[in-house]
Amino acid sequence: MQNTTNAPSYKEGLEQLTGQLSGMLPEESLKIFDHDARQLQEKHNSPLVIQVGDKAPSFTLPNATGRLVSSEELLKKGKLVIVFYRGTWCPYCNLQLSTYQSALDQIKTTGANLIAISPQTPDQSLSMKEKNQLAFEVLSDAGNTVSRKFTSIFRNADSAVDALGQLGIDFHSYYEDKSGEIAVPAVFVIDSDSEVLLARTEGGDYRNRVEPKEILEALSH
């Protein structure tokens, strides 16, 4: 049985990040992002497309250096943890993946692999990987072709995109298209026979993410 008592905590990191952002961002920007997150939570409180017990669709996507990575090949090695995130520009995504990196040894102890997926370009995936010193694959899902088979896709609000722009972040430059579409963050644990063992999301409020403890508990069964 996997010991989850010493699993790293996203929530603890979130408390620190919230304080940092409050000191760094203009109050008007904070209000816009808070309103955006609350609206998304109301609209996407049950965003998952597949559930526990379903068969996960297979896929092949490029990694941060352009090499194709196959879910079928990874599942031949054991269970697979799949994380859907928004982008390098999102501080909550950086915190989430960094926290999961801290739990990577515990995940690998179970024989599982971890991958993270976003619609970003491979160059931006590489930036995410280097920025957070990630030792797991970060894949690029242009147009959210794979992501929409697992979780809901939505168009990022103009108000949020504009607020990012005022902070010097060109949201659209992270993606191959200008659709503005990103996924509701979600985590799945897939068994070697493609059965979904865990299908979890904290909903549309992107500030909240699935704790590593839940992933490790699913992997222990």
Side-chain angles (χ1 to χ4, degrees), residues 15 75 119 129 142 166 198 212:
E15 292 175 358
L75 287 171
K129 192 174 176 72
Q166 292 172 11
L198 176 74

Side-chain angles (χ1 to χ4, degrees), residues 1 18 51 59 64 86 93 118 129 144 172 187:
M1 182 68 70
T18 300
Q51 303 290 342
F59 56 85
R86 290 147 47 95
C93 294
S118 82
K129 192 174 176 72
N144 294 288
H172 291 293
V187 175

Side-chain angles (χ1 to χ4, degrees), residues 29 33 158-172:
S29 295
F33 294 139
D158 291 338
S159 58
V161 172
D162 291 343
L164 288 170
Q166 292 172 11
L167 298 173
I169 299 172
D170 182 0
F171 169 79
H172 291 293

Side-chain angles (χ1 to χ4, degrees), residues 73-176:
E73 290 301 313
L74 288 173
L75 287 171
K76 289 178 182 178
K77 303 175 183 178
K79 295 174 184 176
L80 180 61
V81 181
I82 306 175
V83 183
F84 292 93
Y85 72 102
R86 290 147 47 95
T88 308
W89 52 270
C90 173
Y92 305 101
C93 294
N94 283 280
L95 173 60
Q96 179 188 25
L97 296 193
S98 179
T99 304
Y100 289 4
Q101 171 61 39
S102 296
L104 187 59
D105 285 346
Q106 290 170 278
I107 290 172
K108 285 189 169 295
T109 296
T110 70
N113 279 294
L114 168 66
I115 59 174
I117 298 174
S118 82
Q120 294 186 124
T121 64
D123 281 349
Q124 292 297 341
S125 293
L126 181 60
S127 176
M128 172 63 91
K129 192 174 176 72
E130 292 176 342
K131 182 178 182 180
N132 295 288
Q133 298 181 317
L134 305 179
F136 53 87
E137 294 283 17
V138 182
L139 309 183
S140 294
D141 179 26
N144 294 288
T145 303
V146 171
S147 303
R148 67 181 72 250
K149 296 177 181 179
F150 288 80
T151 184
S152 296
I153 306 301
F154 68 95
R155 182 178 177 276
N156 206 13
D158 291 338
S159 58
V161 172
D162 291 343
L164 288 170
Q166 292 172 11
L167 298 173
I169 299 172
D170 182 0
F171 169 79
H172 291 293
S173 69
Y174 290 80
Y175 308 98
E176 290 184 0

Side-chain angles (χ1 to χ4, degrees), residues 3-5 10 39 50-51 53-54 67 71-72 80 88 91 115 126 134 145 149-150 153 158 161 165 177-178 189 205:
N3 180 14
T4 63
T5 57
Y10 173 83
Q39 279 197 322
I50 59 174
Q51 303 290 342
D54 291 342
R67 182 177 65 84
S71 62
E72 291 184 354
L80 180 61
T88 308
I115 59 174
L126 181 60
L134 305 179
T145 303
K149 296 177 181 179
F150 288 80
I153 306 301
D158 291 338
V161 172
D177 59 39
K178 302 297 182 183
V189 173
D205 187 339

